[in-house]
Amino acid sequence: MTVTEPKPKTPPKRPRRERKESGFVAFRTALTAWLSRPLASFHLVLALTGVITVIGIVMVLSASSVESYNPKTGSGVYSLFVKHLVFVALGGVVFWLGMRVKLERIRRMSATATVVCLGLLVLVLTPLGSTVNGSQGWFRLGDFTFQPVEAAKVALAFWGAHILVIKYNVIHQWRHLLVPVVPIALLMFALVMLQPDLGGTVTLAVVLLALLWFAGAPKRLFGVILAGGLAGVLVLALIAPYRLARVMSFLSPDADTSAEGFQANQAKLALADGGLFGKGLGQGAASWSYLPNVQNDFIFALIGEELGFIGCVVVLSLFAGVAVVGLRIATRNIDPWIRIVSGTLTVFLVAQAGINIGYVVGLLPVTGVTLPLISYGGTSLVITMLIMGVLANAARHEPEAVAALRTQGPGKFGRLLRLPAPDPYRPPATRKGAARTGAKAARPAPRAARPAPAQERRRSVREPVRRSAARTSTATSRGAARTTASRGTRSTANRRGHW
C-alpha cells in the first residue's frame, strides 16, 4: 500500500501594486485627449498668433526706442512703437475678417485679387511708387507705406489652389499642371525683380513650389524648377554688383567686416553676447545703432542678445508649432482647396521665418526678409495676420469641428468673435458638360489600344445574351419553369431585336 505524499501548498500570490503613472505619461495622455477635441486646431492657431504677436510688440519696443528718437524732427522714443501698435490693431481687424469671411467667397475673389495685385506690381514701377532701401516696391500714403508684393503672395496662393483644384482630373498632363499658374507666377517674379526685390522673389517662389507640391505634381518637376532657380539666382547675382557683394560676403564673412558683411557680423556678435539667458530686455547693445535696421530684418539677433539662447529656442518652438498646426489643418480637411491653401500658407510662413533666421545666424546670404509677426513692418504684419486668420477659418472647417459647431453651438470664442457656423463640405456635382470637357481635354488613346470594330460588334451581341441568361436563371430559382427551347428563343429574339 503506497502512501501518497501531500502536495506542497503554494504560497498565496500577493496582490500587484498598481503603478502610478509618471508625470510625463499623465501629461502625454492629457495632451493627446486635448488634441483630439474638435476645435483643438482652432484654439492652437489663436494661441500661437497671440503669443508671437506679443513677443513682437515687446521686441519692437526694445529695438526701436533709440532709432525712433530724433530731436530734429521732434519724434520721441515711442514713435515707431506707436506706429507698430497701429499696425497690430489693423492686423487684428484683418485677422477677424479672415476668420469670419466664408472660404468659398475668398476662393471666388481670388482671381480678382490676383489681377489687382498684378496691376499694383506694375504701378509701383511708375513714378507712383516710392524707393525704400534701394527698392522701388512701395506706395507711400503719408507716414504709412504699402508693399504690394506681400499681398501678391497670398493672392497667388488662393488663385493657384483654385485653378489646380479645377484641373484635378487632368493635372497629370504637363500643360494643364503648369498653365496658367506658372506663367502668372513668372510674370510676378519679373515684376518684383524689376524693383529689385530678391527677398520678395524668393518667397514668391516658395509659394509656387508649395502649390505644386500639395497639388500632387511629379517630383521630377521640382528638380527641374530648383535647377532653373539656382541658375537664375546665379545670373542675377552676377549682373548686379550689390548682389554679388552680398554673396561674396556670405562666402567669406571675415574678409570685409565694415562694408557688406557689417550687418551679418554684428548679428553674430549680438547672438554671442546673449549667452544662455540674455542681458535682459532693453539692455542689448544692438539697439543702439550697432546693428542697423535691427527692428526690421535682424530682430532675431536682438532676441538672442536680450533673451539669450532660451529666447531663441522659444521663438523657434513657436514657429515649429505653426508648422505642425498648419499641416494638421491641411491633413484633417476634406475640401481639396482648403487643403492646398492651408499647406501652402503654412509652408510660406515657416519658410519666411527660416530664411530670416538663417541669414541672421550666418547660414544664408542676407536677403531682407522680415520675421513674421515679430519684425517691425506694416504690410508684412497685416498680411501675416490675414494668413493666420484664414488658417483659423480653415481649422473650423475640419469635419469634426463642423459637426461640433453645428450641433453644440459656436462656443465661447465663436460667440465672442461672432463667427458664423461653417457649412459642411459638399463635393461638386458631376455634370455631363464637365465630363465631355474632361474627355476632350484628355489625350486620345493610342490607335493600337482602341478596340476593333469587329470586337465592338461581338461585345454588343454578347451583352443582351448575358442579360437574358441572368434574367432566366433568376426566374428558374423562383420556381418559374421554362424550357431550354424557350430560353434559346428568347435569346435569339433579343439578339435580333438588338440588331
Side-chain angles (χ1 to χ4, degrees), residues 153-171:
K153 300 170 189 176
V154 183
L156 178 62
F158 291 156
W159 175 76
H162 171 66
I163 296 298
L164 293 174
V165 168
I166 290 178
K167 292 190 171 187
Y168 176 76
N169 293 327
V170 292
I171 205 173

Side-chain angles (χ1 to χ4, degrees), residues 476-497:
T476 305
S477 62
R478 290 179 181 178
R482 291 184 176 88
T483 60
T484 307
S486 63
R487 289 199 300 268
T489 305
R490 181 173 298 179
S491 299
T492 306
N494 286 338
R495 189 181 301 113
R496 292 174 181 174

Side-chain angles (χ1 to χ4, degrees), residues 168-217:
Y168 176 76
N169 293 327
V170 292
I171 205 173
H172 60 280
Q173 302 179 19
W174 287 93
R175 62 188 182 94
H176 290 289
L177 174 64
L178 302 179
V179 179
V181 176
V182 174
I184 295 298
L186 292 178
L187 178 60
M188 288 184 177
F189 295 170
L191 293 174
V192 175
M193 284 307 302
L194 289 175
Q195 297 177 5
D197 184 3
L198 181 60
T201 307
V202 171
T203 48
L204 272 172
V206 170
V207 172
L208 176 61
L209 291 175
L211 276 173
L212 297 176
W213 176 268
F214 288 104

